[in-house]
């Protein structure tokens, strides 16, 4: 057995990250006081994605060793470490981190190379033998407590997000293309959506791409049910699969329900692009009994408030 029944399972590993794009140097970005919170945020969210929990793995320190960014990791549960290894082996962690860096840094793409080490062991050479990897990580006990800088960045992450305009810039850019007057409805272009119209309450509606007005109304009126709507959208949207919705709830907890709902739909729109249609959102609202809000989005209300 790797651990006695009473002792907690604790292990440590180092994740080496390097961008293969010459214009994106991760250590330099992390050393920049302006970019550091954005890089940290991407690391935090990708690691949460990999273990299914914000607390699944702890970052103890981030080292800048050109050309690598080296993240010292601490695992407190074997099951979390196992999930992390599966995510790493299948390429899901790499994909998640590339996506989060792309959003946080507002760049088009961040191609990454990754290595995983525990002590002198290169775990990339033994990924198929998960138990051996776990043993290597368990043998390596963390040699330090969490760096003060990491604690500060965690606090910064909670308060900074609402002030960062990065996501807003992306949103505005996306909406500029979505609201292009030449393509108001998918019926004018077969590539937008196979479904040109849809039926709601016996009436036929054009299946248009979601607009900024839809987005703001949804965020304002959906209230506490934003998570349930997210779970309905999740069935056909990979970008909302677990634990993304719970991460959004935690990340935007201080900003309240409007911001949580806004960010949820922003993820949906950014990931689905022209396929982020009103029909898909209306179906999710119907599934959760939010008929009043659906009517509001389709212009069936005057100026009544939605409950």
């Amino acid at each position: 057995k790797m651990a006695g029944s009473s002792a907690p399972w604790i292990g440590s590993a180092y994740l080496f990250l390097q961008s293969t794009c010459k214009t994106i140097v991760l250590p330099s970005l992390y050393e920049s006081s302006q970019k550091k919170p954005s890089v940290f945020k991407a690391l935090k969210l990708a690691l949460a994605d990999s273990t299914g929990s914000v607390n699944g793995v702890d970052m103890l320190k981030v080292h800048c060793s050109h050309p690598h960014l080296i993240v010292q990791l601490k695992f407190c549960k074997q099951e979390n470490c196992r999930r992390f290894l599966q995510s790493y082996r299948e390429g899901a962690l790499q994909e998640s981190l590339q996506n989060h860096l792309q959003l946080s840094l507002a760049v088009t793409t961040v191609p990454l190379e990754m290595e995983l080490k525990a002590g002198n062991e290169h775990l990339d050479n033994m990924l198929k033998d998960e138990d051996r990897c776990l043993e290597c990580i368990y043998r390596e006990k963390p040699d330090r407590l969490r760096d003060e800088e990491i604690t500060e960045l965690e606090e910064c992450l909670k308060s900074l997000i609402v002030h960062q305009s990065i996501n807003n810039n992306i949103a505005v850019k996306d909406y500029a293309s979505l609201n292009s007057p030449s393509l108001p409805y998918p019926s004018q272009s077969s590539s937008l959506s196979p479904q040109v119209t849809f039926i709601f309450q016996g009436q036929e509606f054009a299946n248009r791409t979601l607009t900024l007005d839809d987005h703001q109304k949804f965020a304002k009126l959906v209230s506490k049910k934003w998570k349930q709507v997210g779970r309905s959208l999740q069935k056909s949207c990979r970008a909302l699969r677990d634990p993304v919705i719970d991460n959004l709830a935690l990340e935007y907890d201080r900003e309240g329900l409007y911001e949580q709902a806004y960010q949820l739909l922003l993820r949906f729109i950014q990931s689905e692009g022209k396929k982020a249609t009103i029909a898909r959102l209306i179906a999710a609202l119907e599934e959760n009994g939010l008929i009043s809000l659906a009517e509001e989005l389709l212009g069936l209300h005057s100026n009544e408030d939605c409950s």
Side-chain angles (χ1 to χ4, degrees), residues 3-280:
S5 56
S6 58
W9 196 98
I10 292 176
S12 179
Y14 286 89
L15 182 63
F16 287 71
L17 304 168
Q18 180 182 355
S19 167
T20 54
C21 172
K22 287 179 182 175
T23 56
I24 298 171
V25 184
L26 291 177
S28 300
L29 289 170
Y30 197 79
E31 284 166 341
S32 148
S33 57
Q34 279 183 310
K35 296 291 184 187
K36 181 179 286 188
S38 299
V39 177
F40 178 80
K41 175 183 169 186
L43 287 169
K44 182 82 180 163
L45 293 176
L47 289 169
D49 287 347
S50 75
T51 58
S53 161
V54 176
N55 303 314
V57 54
D58 219 4
M59 276 189 274
L60 296 183
K61 185 170 176 63
V62 178
H63 307 263
C64 293
S65 175
H66 290 260
H68 290 103
L69 198 64
I70 307 170
V71 188
Q72 187 175 1
L73 304 172
K74 174 187 174 185
F75 298 91
C76 290
K77 286 185 181 175
Q78 186 179 328
E79 67 213 55
N80 287 337
C81 189
R82 197 180 287 278
R83 277 196 207 114
F84 170 84
L85 284 169
Q86 287 168 350
S87 176
Y88 182 84
R89 185 177 65 236
E90 292 163 6
L93 174 64
Q94 184 175 2
E95 186 185 342
S96 174
L97 184 52
Q98 286 176 170
N99 290 342
H100 285 303
L101 282 168
Q102 192 179 329
L103 284 170
S104 285
L105 298 170
V107 290
T108 48
T109 180
V110 186
L112 289 178
E113 282 182 357
M114 292 182 153
E115 286 179 84
L116 190 61
K117 296 179 186 177
N120 297 321
E121 300 285 357
H122 287 250
L123 302 186
D124 297 77
N125 301 331
M126 57 176 93
L127 286 173
K128 287 180 181 173
D129 189 346
E130 198 171 276
D131 287 336
R132 190 175 162 210
C133 288
L134 284 166
E135 279 178 29
C136 292
I137 291 171
Y138 178 70
R139 263 203 314 269
E140 288 300 314
K141 298 302 179 209
D143 60 357
R144 62 178 303 125
L145 296 171
R146 186 200 287 205
D147 198 73
E148 279 180 20
E149 181 183 64
I150 298 286
T151 307
E152 284 170 21
L153 282 164
E154 296 250 342
E155 286 306 309
C156 178
L157 179 59
K158 289 173 189 168
S159 57
L160 159 120
I161 290 154
V162 78
H163 303 298
Q164 264 187 336
S165 59
I166 291 170
N167 281 346
N168 295 340
N169 289 342
I170 293 169
V172 168
K173 187 174 69 186
D174 273 6
Y175 281 124
S177 61
L178 293 182
N179 293 335
S180 160
S182 60
L183 289 174
Y185 297 120
S187 55
Q188 294 186 11
S189 167
S190 58
S191 66
L192 290 197
S193 168
Q195 188 186 3
V196 175
T197 61
F198 67 102
I199 304 295
F200 175 75
Q201 293 184 346
Q203 291 186 55
E204 191 173 19
F205 292 90
N207 186 22
R208 54 185 174 74
T209 308
L210 291 169
T211 66
L212 181 55
D213 188 49
D214 296 328
H215 195 162
Q216 289 172 336
K217 273 185 185 173
F218 170 81
K220 182 182 171 189
L221 300 169
V222 70
S223 192
K224 291 177 183 175
K225 285 200 171 179
W226 70 270
K227 270 185 162 185
Q228 287 156 262
V229 176
R231 303 224 182 277
S232 296
L233 291 172
Q234 179 189 63
K235 295 170 192 170
S236 63
C237 176
R238 282 185 68 201
L240 294 179
R241 67 187 173 189
D242 289 332
V244 170
I245 294 169
D246 288 334
N247 285 354
L248 287 174
L250 186 81
E251 201 178 325
Y252 296 97
D253 182 46
R254 288 189 186 182
E255 284 75 61
L257 293 172
Y258 177 92
E259 191 62 26
Q260 289 169 330
Y262 188 91
Q263 293 296 330
L264 170 85
L265 206 55
L266 180 59
R267 286 284 172 97
F268 177 67
I269 290 166
Q270 285 175 344
S271 122
E272 299 295 298
K274 291 168 182 175
K275 292 179 187 168
T277 60
I278 189 75
R280 289 174 73 182

